[in-house]
């Protein structure tokens, strides 16, 4: 069978468009960490320190201390709402999102039951102990909970016993997936476990109607393939959700994008998007347009024109940043060599990245920059890199 050629690389103007859409410039940044996460709907949470940096990067005049405060005030939560991957959401979005994107829980539970012996009786024991501790202390660390489980015989006392680690992890994730536990206030760099039943439930939270919820997932400038990859939905369901979002954004009572006024959404073909981005940002324009239908803010072209210098500036972004992993086609941001630079082992772990003029130019490895071209391309980039590092250090 002949090999299907890869699609043409997207131009850098699309990367600049995404930077603006992602809230990484002043014109689209959020006033608070809570609002930054609300606009994104959910943000990757595997490396908690990186999550703090990613949220701060999208928030006006807020350092990671401000993001920490949002967790401590229980405005932001950390859990496994979709794809079996840990994410940060707002407190009010937690339950409806968990229920709406319950697309891999059945397979996870089947494995936990068949391989690790998790059943309803064991889950109830584990949950009752968790609620008892939370009732006494308000919030508890994972270690404290697991130690109490071991003391009471819910899990093996020996952490090295066969299957002990998998059982502990299965119980923790299952109780999160069922909406019983969630991670919120911090102890050092660790989000503590609290009772998730106190949060707005899936039928009364702001996303329970579906249409209004998708309208708030506006900033990314996405295709159905992007949303499917991000959420775990099928492409058909993702396309339907995006089209509903366009309709909902134009409906009375739909959720506001920035908390002050409605932002209409547009549907565009790949060819239309390329023409729009090229007209504002210039640069290369490929002969072949990307496939699929894009959904984006109706004012994104104006915002890009207004924010072009800010979008082109050099920025140091954390590992797992949504600018990189939030899209299926990342060719506008980097090439295959750049992907290897960001994830040398290709095991789903990513390095922080240095972005200049919309392209990845270096990765941060063990505190040192590894340049895509072996060295900075210019004195300008050297100076801009130092400023970006200084900004990140201040945050």
């Amino acid at each position: 069978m002949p090999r299907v050629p890869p699609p043409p690389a997207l131009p850098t103007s699309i990367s600049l468009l995404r930077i603006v859409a992602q809230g990484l410039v002043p014109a689209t940044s959020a006033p608070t960490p809570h609002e930054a996460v609300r606009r994104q709907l959910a943000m990757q949470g595997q490396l908690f320190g990186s999550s703090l940096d990613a949220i701060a990067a999208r928030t006006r005049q807020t350092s990671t201390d401000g993001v920490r405060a949002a967790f401590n005030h229980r405005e932001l939560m950390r859990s496994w709402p979709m794809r079996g991957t840990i994410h940060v959401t707002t407190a009010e979005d937690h339950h409806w999102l968990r229920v709406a994107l319950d697309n891999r829980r059945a397979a996870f539970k089947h494995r936990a039951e068949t391989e690790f012996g998790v059943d309803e009786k064991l889950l109830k024991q584990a949950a009752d102990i968790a609620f008892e501790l939370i009732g006494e202390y308000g919030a508890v660390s994972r270690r404290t909970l697991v130690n109490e489980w071991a003391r009471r015989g819910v899990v093996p006392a020996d952490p090295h016993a066969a299957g002990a680690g998998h059982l502990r992890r299965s119980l923790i994730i299952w109780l999160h997936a069922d909406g019983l536990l969630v991670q919120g206030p911090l102890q050092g760099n660790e989000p503590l476990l609290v009772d998730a039943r106190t949060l707005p439930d899936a039928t009364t939270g702001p996303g329970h109607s579906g249409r209004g919820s998708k309208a708030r997932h506006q900033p990314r400038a996405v295709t159905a393939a992007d949303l499917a990859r991000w959420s775990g939905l099928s492409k058909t369901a993702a396309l339907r959700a995006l089209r509903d979002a366009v309709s909902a954004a134009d409906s009375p009572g739909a959720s506001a994008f920035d908390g002050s006024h409605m932002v209409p959404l547009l549907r565009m073909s790949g060819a239309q998007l390329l023409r729009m981005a090229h007209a504002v940002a210039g640069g290369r324009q490929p002969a072949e347009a990307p496939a699929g239908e894009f959904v984006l803010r109706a004012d994104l072209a104006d915002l890009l024109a207004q924010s072009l210098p800010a979008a082109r500036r050099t920025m140091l972004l954390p590992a797992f940043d949504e600018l990189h992993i939030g899209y299926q086609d990342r060719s506008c941001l980097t090439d295959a060599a750049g992907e290897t630079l960001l994830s040398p082992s290709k095991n789903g772990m990513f390095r922080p990245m240095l972005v200049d003029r919309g392209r990845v130019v270096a990765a941060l490895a063990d505190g040192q920059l590894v340049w895509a071209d072996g060295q900075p391309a210019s004195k300008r980039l050297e100076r801009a890199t130092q400023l970006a590092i200084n900004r990140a250090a201040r945050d």
Side-chain angles (χ1 to χ4, degrees):
M1 177 181 290
R3 294 182 61 185
V4 177
L10 294 172
T12 305
S13 58
I14 301 300
S15 183
L16 298 173
L17 198 72
R18 290 175 177 178
I19 287 169
V20 174
Q22 281 274 341
L24 290 167
V25 298
T28 54
S29 61
T32 65
H34 173 273
E35 180 64 13
V37 175
R38 190 188 77 87
R39 293 180 183 185
Q40 296 287 326
L41 198 56
M43 296 178 68
Q44 290 274 344
Q46 289 98 319
L47 297 178
F48 187 64
S50 293
S51 300
L52 298 177
D53 291 335
I55 297 167
R58 290 161 171 81
T59 309
R60 293 193 286 274
Q61 299 177 341
T62 295
S63 67
T64 52
D65 288 341
V67 184
R68 290 174 180 275
F71 277 97
N72 287 329
H73 295 153
R74 306 195 183 197
E75 297 172 1
L76 299 179
M77 296 292 167
R78 188 170 178 252
S79 185
W80 286 265
M82 65 224 197
R83 299 195 336 264
T85 303
I86 198 160
H87 281 76
V88 175
T89 68
T90 65
E92 60 269 26
D93 282 340
H94 169 72
H95 279 306
W96 77 259
L97 185 60
R98 175 184 62 81
V99 171
L101 299 180
D102 177 18
N103 42 39
R104 294 194 184 176
R105 198 183 309 173
F108 163 77
K109 287 185 173 182
H110 177 73
R111 185 182 180 208
E113 289 170 341
T114 57
E115 296 187 25
F116 311 125
V118 177
D119 57 21
E120 291 300 326
K121 180 181 178 181
L122 189 65
L123 279 171
K124 186 177 186 308
Q125 285 180 287
D128 287 345
I129 293 169
F131 294 142
E132 180 184 323
L133 292 176
I134 291 168
E136 182 175 355
Y137 300 109
V140 296
S141 69
R142 179 168 173 163
R143 174 178 292 183
T144 298
L145 176 57
V146 168
N147 286 345
E148 189 64 13
W149 282 345
R151 191 179 73 83
R152 300 199 198 181
V154 174
V155 299
D158 180 3
H160 304 295
H166 289 298
L167 176 58
R168 295 174 182 202
R169 176 174 168 79
S170 294
L171 288 172
I172 290 285
I173 295 178
W174 196 320
L175 293 175
H176 280 71
D178 275 359
L180 301 176
L181 295 182
V182 69
Q183 301 168 35
L186 306 181
Q187 183 178 72
N189 285 325
E190 179 187 4
L192 299 178
L193 300 168
V194 294
D195 188 344
R197 299 172 301 176
T198 63
L199 304 181
D201 65 35
T203 60
T204 59
H208 74 279
S209 65
R211 287 169 62 85
S213 69
K214 299 300 187 298
R216 293 191 295 103
H217 189 261
Q218 291 174 15
R220 296 170 182 267
V222 294
T223 64
D226 293 325
L227 182 57
R229 181 180 183 277
W230 182 85
S231 66
L233 294 170
S234 69
K235 287 186 180 180
T236 299
L239 179 60
R240 184 168 59 248
L242 287 174
R243 289 179 174 176
D244 281 349
V246 175
S247 299
D250 291 329
S251 303
S255 298
F257 167 72
D258 66 359
S260 61
H261 65 280
M262 283 307 305
V263 178
L265 300 179
L266 287 179
R267 289 161 52 186
M268 276 189 180
S269 68
Q272 290 173 315
L273 185 74
L274 286 185
R275 285 196 297 270
M276 181 266 279
H278 179 75
V280 177
R284 178 184 62 85
Q285 190 169 20
E288 185 179 342
E293 178 179 274
F294 289 78
V295 172
L296 60 150
R297 294 178 56 156
D299 60 353
L300 194 53
D302 292 338
L303 288 168
L304 177 59
Q306 170 189 338
S307 304
L308 202 49
R312 284 176 167 157
R313 75 172 184 167
T314 308
M315 54 186 78
L316 183 62
L317 296 174
F320 293 98
D321 194 87
E322 296 288 345
L323 179 65
H324 178 234
I325 62 173
Y327 299 90
Q328 183 181 56
D329 186 343
R330 306 191 285 245
S331 59
C332 57
L333 180 68
T334 192
D335 56 16
E339 293 288 353
T340 300
L341 184 67
L342 295 177
S343 182
S345 58
K346 300 188 184 301
N347 62 351
M349 298 300 292
F350 296 94
R351 293 167 166 174
M353 59 183 179
L354 187 72
V355 177
D356 178 67
R357 297 180 175 178
R359 296 286 295 180
V360 171
V361 294
L364 193 63
D366 299 322
Q368 300 294 318
L369 285 173
V370 181
W371 294 92
D373 295 330
Q375 61 184 4
S378 65
K379 292 294 185 182
R380 176 203 63 80
L381 182 55
E382 287 184 12
R383 293 190 296 270
T385 297
Q386 192 57 55
L387 288 174
I389 292 172
N390 293 343
R391 281 196 303 270
R394 286 198 300 271
D395 290 343

